[in-house]
Amino acid sequence: MPPAPLARIVQGSGPGLLLAHGAGGSARDNWGPLLPDLAAHRTVVAPDYPGSGDSPYEPGEPTLDELADRLVATAVEEGLDSFDLAGYSLGAAVAVRAATRHPGRVRSLLLLAGVAGGSARLRLLADLAIDLAERPADLARLMLTVVFGETWVDALPEDRREELREALKSPVPDGFRQQFRLAGRADVRAELAAIGVPTLVVSTAEDMLVPPSQHRALAEGIPGARWAELAGGHLPMVELLPQLREVVLEFVKS
């Protein structure tokens, strides 16, 4: 029996833009602040992975191939024969896999704070996050120290840091463990040379979750990839939304 279609956000009109979210997030969590701007220029399709957002949990362990195929299928279901593809964090690895498995459909790539693979440290961090999933206070402390940039966190007043730590205690989505396991083990480095579409790699310079070395591996492995850098941590949609908006809108308008 085929899996149920993924839940998705569909907004706007014009050329297609498919969005891939990160591990433990959702389409709205990761891309929500940018959706109105993107939908002003594109038909945006933003699916939720199983166990995230409005997509129900599915047992087993998802693979990059499965997520890539299901994201592409979601775009096709919405009438997009071809599209540009933006992937964030784990979603960058999903986007690379989609481009190599469906080269006739993906016109260009934007890879934001992306996972390339081969990082023992990233795997250890992913495993630690999984271990702490049942301990919200401890997981919140870990996330506060690795997902936000040092400059931004240091500049927050103490009461704002406490508010943020409390907000991070919210229950993890059902697919959190599956997606973090995949993020820690995914490896797309061997297929980067086969990417034949225009690609923009956006690095988050103070990223302590998916470090800049991972972003550089994407940029150096993809022929002709362009590079942009944001001076913050792993969540630029929180820390650096105006700057992120500028970079992403330049991509969708190009």
Side-chain angles (χ1 to χ4, degrees), residues 21-42:
H21 68 76
S26 70
R28 193 165 299 282
D29 288 341
N30 292 165
W31 296 106
L34 293 167
L35 286 176
D37 298 292
L38 297 176
H41 302 277
R42 299 298 192 93

Side-chain angles (χ1 to χ4, degrees), residues 26-156:
S26 70
R28 193 165 299 282
D29 288 341
N30 292 165
W31 296 106
L34 293 167
L35 286 176
D37 298 292
L38 297 176
H41 302 277
R42 299 298 192 93
T43 299
V44 178
V45 177
D48 289 322
Y49 304 150
S52 283
D54 293 325
S55 288
Y57 174 81
E58 298 174 7
E61 294 296 326
T63 66
L64 280 186
D65 285 356
E66 291 166 355
L67 289 183
D69 291 351
R70 292 179 72 177
L71 258 68
V72 169
T74 303
V76 173
E77 289 164 10
E78 295 299 332
L80 303 180
D81 290 330
S82 63
F83 42 82
D84 303 295
L85 177 50
Y88 165 67
S89 193
L90 170 62
V94 175
V96 166
R97 185 61 54 85
T100 56
R101 287 176 65 83
H102 304 274
R105 296 199 183 275
V106 178
R107 294 190 300 254
S108 67
L109 291 171
L110 183 150
L111 308 176
L112 170 62
V115 171
S119 169
R121 178 183 176 277
L122 178 56
R123 179 179 290 201
L124 289 168
L125 267 175
D127 288 344
L128 177 58
I130 292 165
D131 290 344
L132 295 178
E134 299 294 339
R135 295 155 55 187
D138 292 334
L139 180 61
R141 286 201 297 272
L142 173 67
M143 291 292 115
L144 186 59
T145 58
V146 298
V147 301
F148 299 106
E150 178 182 7
T151 302
W152 189 78
V153 172
D154 283 352
L156 287 176

